[in-house]
Amino acid sequence: DLHSFPTRRSSDLEPGDNAILVGSIKDPITGNFSYGGRLLKNKYNISSTVILPNNSSPQLCDLGNGNLMLIPAVVVDKIGILSDRYTHGLADIEYTTKAKKARIPSYISSRYLGECKNDFDPNKKTGLSLKQRIEYLYSVKGFSYKEYLHFIRSYFPFYLPQAWLSLWVKTIIPSR
């Protein structure tokens, strides 16, 4: 897949060359998807579906994980680098969302390019006390409450009340 993306200097790029490539990553034990790209279900909230590599060609995505991401210099020249507003898990998602808003497409690789276990476990909070679940809500390795709501407020403002409520319900009433 990487051969189909430009290797020229940004000054030599054509209009269609300013795209982000998100490397699809699988779990080293199960072989299942762990990181890569997602398609938004609609433009009003963050609800999305995973895009699996098809072994033939890159596919357009709306959201991309930065575990393995190729960003051409022309894209950086246009929208900058990752925001330092996010400390762990949202900078990459925010970057591809910002790129989409700037009409810069993102694509997933046509096959898995790496292996990595997904480190986010939404069920990790089961069995914890309410105090521990609230700590997890605010933790950058948990729900990253303030950063997540900032991201939602910036890109999906109509979803903000539902996102806020959902985080608190998941914290107060953990799933079994």
Side-chain angles (χ1 to χ4, degrees):
D1 329 282
L2 296 177
H3 299 293
S4 64
F5 284 82
T7 56
R8 296 168 287 176
R9 293 182 309 239
S10 61
S11 60
D12 297 330
L13 293 175
E14 297 172 8
D17 292 337
N18 62 338
I20 296 170
L21 177 63
V22 176
S24 299
I25 308 293
K26 65 182 175 178
D27 183 281
I29 296 169
T30 66
N32 294 331
F33 172 93
S34 58
Y35 294 102
R38 296 176 166 271
L39 278 177
L40 290 170
K41 291 181 179 180
N42 66 60
K43 63 182 181 179
Y44 300 107
N45 69 43
I46 192 75
S47 181
S48 61
T49 56
V50 167
I51 308 167
L52 299 176
N54 62 15
N55 291 320
S56 64
S57 62
Q59 300 171 74
L60 196 62
C61 69
D62 296 316
L63 309 171
N65 293 118
N67 298 59
L68 179 58
M69 187 181 285
L70 175 65
I71 304 170
V74 68
V75 172
V76 174
D77 291 344
K78 187 170 182 180
I79 65 170
I81 60 172
L82 296 175
S83 170
D84 61 2
R85 174 72 172 84
Y86 306 98
T87 53
H88 183 253
L90 286 168
D92 48 1
I93 299 296
E94 192 269 347
Y95 194 80
T96 51
T97 304
K98 180 167 57 170
K100 180 178 173 68
K101 196 172 185 178
R103 298 184 178 202
I104 298 169
S106 297
Y107 294 89
I108 66 157
S109 57
S110 64
R111 62 184 184 277
Y112 288 108
L113 300 179
E115 294 183 344
C116 179
K117 183 169 175 42
N118 189 318
D119 64 354
F120 179 73
D121 181 5
N123 298 317
K124 186 177 181 179
K125 66 198 175 316
T126 57
L128 300 177
S129 70
L130 178 59
K131 180 182 178 195
Q132 291 170 317
R133 292 193 310 268
I134 291 171
E135 288 171 359
Y136 186 78
L137 172 69
Y138 284 92
S139 167
V140 295
K141 293 234 177 161
F143 288 123
S144 199
Y145 181 75
K146 291 179 182 179
E147 294 176 9
Y148 178 74
L149 291 182
H150 172 78
F151 170 73
I152 295 299
R153 185 180 302 108
S154 299
Y155 293 96
F156 303 96
F158 294 116
Y159 182 62
L160 186 60
Q162 184 180 347
W164 178 87
L165 182 61
S166 176
L167 286 174
W168 280 104
V169 167
K170 288 177 186 177
T171 299
I172 295 169
I173 308 167
S175 60
R176 304 267 177 238

